[in-house]
């Protein structure tokens, strides 16, 4: 690479699809044009456990414009229902409130909805349990998680270290159920064609290939005969990270009316039982330290819930395995299997609730030792990964803390515990660390083709869910090809393109970018620097041995200023500031937006988010955007995201880590710690609603 | 029951037959193929469906299409004049006031409507002096834009964009 051109990577390139998005002409799944589409509206179970003994469909069927009413009695059998989440309408069993028990296909959305309301379901109800209550429930140890990490770990002599501790923090922290609520509800537009059977989905998903694989297996189709596209996706935050039951229902409906396109948009309320959510957690943390705050033991016991039909574990204890140095540590995860919808990924699964607990506990330790909270973290900095002993690919937490403290004006605070009054407001500041694994997932493939117009077409089945991936991958392609961005045509969002891993776990840019680099290298090997039109090469990202040699994490430091109203308990956050270590930043404009967006979702979790489940009926009482509060514009004051100038030499050819999740991690703790500094009250449970400060 | 109505959408006259239960939002999306107003909640809780009815911002999911026979509807797509982005849309783009883009057309329409409201002297919850001309500081902009949720958290950049246009 010789040309002294402004490097594509590192430039604040504006989102390529920006003009289409600000005018609303960028098509999302529902908006895929179709002639004479039909509309699907589901009927959801109204009991939390039991059997749908009789489903009365006659009235619905008689309604003009209704094409089909699907129930477990007439729905075709699926080829593979090993994953119970996909066994849609395969039996009359009801495993949770809000499960599909029937569905109507009709000519208009109004008719489909009316007909669905006419379907009457008789239930045989069984006793159910939907609320996490670790003291009174059978808990089990989850099997090894999808990330391959064990549920429990233990190092050193934990009991001895705890006994020896001069200062001990032993507290329980709670986080509530939270729902992802991307602005675009989950939507699938499905078309079933015959001879041979083919299924096409226009889907709001984070991974077109994972949805294709699932649909092919569930419907017994050759993957070649399933196509999934997702040109634009209105956010996901994990909830669109895998196929869900609604994809299957849409497929079943489409199969009932072959040749007709079926549009299926979940309502906001449907989303609260069908697309995943973050499990509530109860986390006991024990920190044993010497008088100077040096940790001897870190113990993190996390309990969450899962659904009886499918196990998912929120791995809140992982952060305590690697965050701070200590000769002894133990982490455990326990689950209560309940009659609830299936929990799943929500932005920074594990780290987000886990770091609320750990970083609040660290603040309590700092206070107990009389050590500045920034300094306390610096004192417990490990030289190598405490869990594996591996060297860090780059651990720069201390620099994040120091630079953040400087930028925020941290040391201007009165270090004494609150309350600190400013008129009717109690004012304080708080800090917390952030962490997220750096990922580079294997399996992505990219293709490079040189066109007669002198442009390169780079193809990969990646998805841009709002991260800026389309723009970042174009920049990465330009850098790899050593050409201007304008000579790259990027194709993404289609399962007919080379296979790509899912947009999740802050892995997209890293994993897909690696595949693009490999494809370009192979292309140059094959066709040289001066290719002829039509030259084309495809390559898969090769194995990176450094992934097993180094501990790879991104870090960050959050600072927040909080004001709590002395009379009403209202909590305001006028200032948030984060400094992050995320490797090289591909596009400062879109990366900043992602980091800030994560911080805002952290603020939202700190102040508002809580899905309230009715123990009698098992539904979310506040299951819409009026009841489930997310941060609004007026909640957000000053917000700044900064990053260290660096590159990760081991992670991938770009030296860049994903930035989608780290912004949310730790922010609720920073806000809670600031509220403590402001009021003198320690709140160990999210969200920090006004009532918690009115005692 | 079906009824035939006329809507002037983004400068184009459209005659369509709707169910009397059809919302303005569904009429635009399902019947007229307009992709610009989005459906985030269908219940007036998120602002994604915001369009301009004449010059006023409205939530099209809370409006019945039949109640607006003959109305002039402008979506974010219609705000762009001959390939030139509307200044608000341009500023949102320049400030990266969007990520997934699903709330964005609603934000743009809402901002355009909001600027007109402020220009007309309408006060908000954040207005100190109800009799003076409205000064659109950040607190005013945040308050007036809080009917438009953005789950991607692009608020700060949206405020910066509106500040630039209003200043
Ligand atoms: S869709 Fe109209 S306000 Fe949400
Ligand atoms: S840009 Fe995604 S919801 Fe606002």
């Amino acid at each position: 690479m010789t040309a002294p051109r402004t490097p594509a990577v590192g430039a604040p390139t504006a989102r390529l699809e920006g003009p289409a998005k600000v005018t609303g002409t960028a098509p999302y799944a529902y908006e895929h044009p179709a002639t004479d589409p039909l509309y699907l509206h589901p009927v959801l179970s109204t009991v939390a456990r039991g059997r749908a003994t009789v489903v009365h469909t006659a009235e619905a069927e008689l309604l003009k414009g209704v094409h089909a009413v699907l129930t477990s009695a007439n729905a075709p059998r699926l080829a593979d229902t090993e994953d119970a989440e996909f066994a849609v309408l395969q039996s009359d069993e009801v495993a949770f409130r809000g499960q599909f028990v029937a569905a109507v296909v009709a000519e208009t959305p109004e008719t489909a909805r009316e007909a669905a309301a006419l379907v009457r379901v008789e239930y045989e109800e069984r006793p159910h349990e939907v609320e996490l209550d670790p003291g009174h429930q059978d808990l089990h140890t989850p099997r090894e998680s999808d990330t391959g990490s064990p549920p429990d770990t233990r190092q050193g002599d934990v009991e001895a270290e705890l006994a020896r501790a001069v200062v001990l923090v032993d507290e329980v922290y709670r986080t509530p159920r939270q729902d992802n609520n991307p602005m675009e509800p989950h939507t699938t537009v499905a078309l079933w064609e015959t001879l041979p059977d083919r299924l096409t989905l226009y889907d709001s998903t984070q991974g077109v290939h994972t949805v294709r694989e699932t649909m092919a297996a569930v419907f017994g189709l050759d993957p070649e005969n399933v196509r999934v596209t997702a040109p634009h996706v209105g956010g996901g935050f994990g909830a669109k990270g895998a196929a869900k039951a609604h994809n299957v229902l849409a497929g079943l409906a489409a199969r009932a009316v072959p040749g007709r396109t079926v549009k299926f948009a979940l309502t906001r309320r449907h989303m609260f039982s069908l697309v995943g959510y973050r499990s509530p957690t109860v986390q006991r943390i024990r920190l044993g330290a010497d008088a100077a705050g040096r940790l001897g033991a870190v113990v993190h016991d996390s309990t969450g819930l899962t659904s009886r039909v499918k196990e998912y574990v929120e791995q809140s204890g992982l952060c305590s395995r690697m965050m701070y140095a200590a000769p002894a540590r133990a982490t455990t995860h326990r689950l209560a299997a309940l009659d609830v919808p299936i929990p799943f990924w929500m932005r920074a699964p594990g780290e987000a609730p886990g770091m609320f607990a750990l970083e609040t506990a660290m603040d309590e330790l700092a206070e107990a030792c009389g050590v500045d909270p920034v300094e306390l973290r610096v004192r417990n900095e490990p030289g190598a990964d405490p869990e594996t002993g591996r060297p860090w690919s780059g651990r720069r937490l201390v620099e994040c803390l120091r630079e953040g403290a400087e930028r925020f004006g941290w040391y201007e605070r009165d270090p004494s515990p609150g309350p600190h009054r400013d008129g009717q407001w109690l004012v304080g500041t708080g800090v917390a660390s952030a962490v997220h694994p750096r990922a580079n997932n294997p399996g992505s493939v990219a293709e490079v083709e040189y066109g007669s117009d002198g442009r390169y077409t780079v193809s990969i089945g990646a998805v841009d869910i709002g991260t800026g991936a389309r723009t970042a991958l174009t920049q990465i392609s330009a850098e790899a090809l050593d050409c201007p961005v304008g000579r790259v045509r990027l194709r993404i969002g289609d399962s007919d393109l080379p296979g790509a891993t899912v947009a999740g776990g802050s892995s997209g840019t890293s994993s897909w970018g690696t595949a693009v680099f490999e494809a370009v290298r192979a292309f140059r090997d094959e066709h040289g620097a001066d290719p002829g039109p039509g030259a084309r090469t495809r390559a898969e990202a090769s194995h990176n041995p450094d992934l097993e040699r180094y501990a790879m994490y991104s870090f960050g430091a959050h600072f927040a200023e909080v004001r709590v109203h002395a009379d009403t308990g209202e909590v305001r956050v006028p200032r948030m500031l984060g400094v992050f270590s995320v490797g090289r930043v591909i596009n400062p404009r879109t990366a900043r937006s992602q980091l800030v967006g994560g911080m805002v979702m952290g603020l939202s979790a700190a102040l508002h988010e809580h899905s309230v489940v009715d123990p009698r009926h098992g539904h979310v009482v506040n299951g819409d955007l009026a009841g489930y509060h997310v941060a609004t514009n007026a909640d957000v004051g000053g917000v700044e995201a900064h990053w260290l100038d660096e590159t990760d030499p081991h992670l991938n050819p770009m030296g860049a880590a994903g930035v989608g999740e780290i912004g949310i991690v730790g922010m609720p703790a920073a806000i809670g710690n600031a509220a403590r500094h402001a009021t003198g009250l320690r709140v160990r449970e999210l969200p920090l609603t006004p009532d918690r400060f009115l005692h | 029951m079906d009824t035939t109505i006329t809507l002037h959408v983004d400068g184009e006259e459209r005659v369509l037959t709707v169910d009397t239960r059809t919302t303005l939002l569904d009429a635009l999306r399902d019947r007229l193929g307009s992709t610009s107003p989005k459906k985030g909640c269908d219940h007036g809780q998120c602002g994604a469906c915001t369009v301009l009815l004449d010059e006023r911002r409205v939530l099209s999911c809370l409006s019945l299409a039949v109640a607006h026979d003959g109305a002039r509807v402008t979506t974010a797509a219609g705000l762009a004049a001959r390939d030139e982005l509307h200044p608000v849309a341009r500023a949102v783009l320049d400030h990266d006031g969007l990520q997934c883009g699903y709330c964005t057309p609603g934000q743009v329409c809402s901002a355009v409507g909001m600027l007109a409201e402020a220009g007309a002297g309408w006060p908000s919850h954040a207005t100190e002096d109800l009799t003076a001309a409205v000064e659109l500081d950040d607190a005013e902009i945040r308050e007036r834009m809080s009917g438009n949720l953005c789950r991607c958290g692009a608020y700060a950049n949206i405020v910066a964009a509106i500040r630039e246009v209003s200043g």
Side-chain angles (χ1 to χ4, degrees), chain A residues 653-667:
Chain A
M654 297 78 67
V659 293
E661 288 162 289
I662 188 145
I664 193 177
V665 181
M667 187 40 100

Side-chain angles (χ1 to χ4, degrees), chain A residues 589-649:
Chain A
R589 174 196 294 244
T590 54
R592 175 167 284 112
S593 287
Q594 270 196 287
L595 292 168
V596 164
M599 293 165 74
V600 169
M601 205 181 268
L603 166 83
S604 189
L607 300 190
H608 302 303
E609 295 187 35
H610 180 191
S611 305
V612 182
V613 175
D614 185 332
R616 298 164 306 165
H617 306 294
H619 66 296
V620 173
V621 179
N622 57 338
D624 61 27
L625 292 173
Y628 186 90
H629 289 183
V630 301
T632 69
N633 203 321
D635 287 315
V636 180
V639 44
E640 284 178 42
H642 304 274
W643 51 81
L644 306 179
D645 187 14
E646 64 175 348
T647 180
D648 185 327

Side-chain angles (χ1 to χ4, degrees), chain A residues 183 625, chain B residues 25 38-50 59-62 147:
Chain A
M183 283 313 298
L625 292 173
Chain B
L25 175 60
K38 305 295 188 192
K39 185 183 285 189
C41 71
D42 215 17
H43 281 71
Q45 301 165 348
C46 76
C49 64
T50 308
L59 300 175
S60 58
C61 73
L62 290 188

Side-chain angles (χ1 to χ4, degrees), chain A residues 15 18-19 21-26 28 30-31 39 109-111 113-114 179-181 183-185 233-235 237 268 346 465-466 589-590 593-594 596-597 600-601 604 609 624-626 630-634 636-637 639, chain B residues 19 21-23 26 29-31 35-42 45-46 48 76-77 80 85 89 92-96 98-105 108 141-143 145-146 149-153 155-159:
Chain A
R15 270 169 223 278
K21 281 183 173 174
V22 295
T23 51
T25 51
Y28 295 69
Y30 189 85
E31 297 150 6
Y39 298 85
E110 294 82 14
T111 308
R113 186 180 280 243
E114 182 186 359
D179 281 64
N180 309 49
N181 278 311
M183 283 313 298
E184 180 203 20
V233 180
F237 313 110
R268 182 60 58 182
M346 178 163 165
I465 60 168
R589 174 196 294 244
T590 54
S593 287
Q594 270 196 287
V596 164
V600 169
M601 205 181 268
S604 189
E609 295 187 35
D624 61 27
L625 292 173
V630 301
T632 69
N633 203 321
V636 180
V639 44
Chain B
D19 191 310
R21 298 167 297 187
T22 305
T23 62
D26 286 349
R29 283 171 69 79
D30 290 328
R31 310 292 204 274
T35 62
S36 201
K38 305 295 188 192
K39 185 183 285 189
C41 71
D42 215 17
Q45 301 165 348
C46 76
L85 290 180
V92 168
L93 191 58
D94 290 346
H95 289 270
D96 206 36
L98 73 154
Q99 290 178 52
C100 78
Y102 200 75
C103 74
T104 312
V108 169
I141 296 172
R142 287 175 187 143
E143 172 62 28
M145 290 301 292
S146 277
L149 300 180
C150 175
R151 189 59 162 155
C152 296
Y155 297 126
N157 289 350
I158 292 168
V159 171

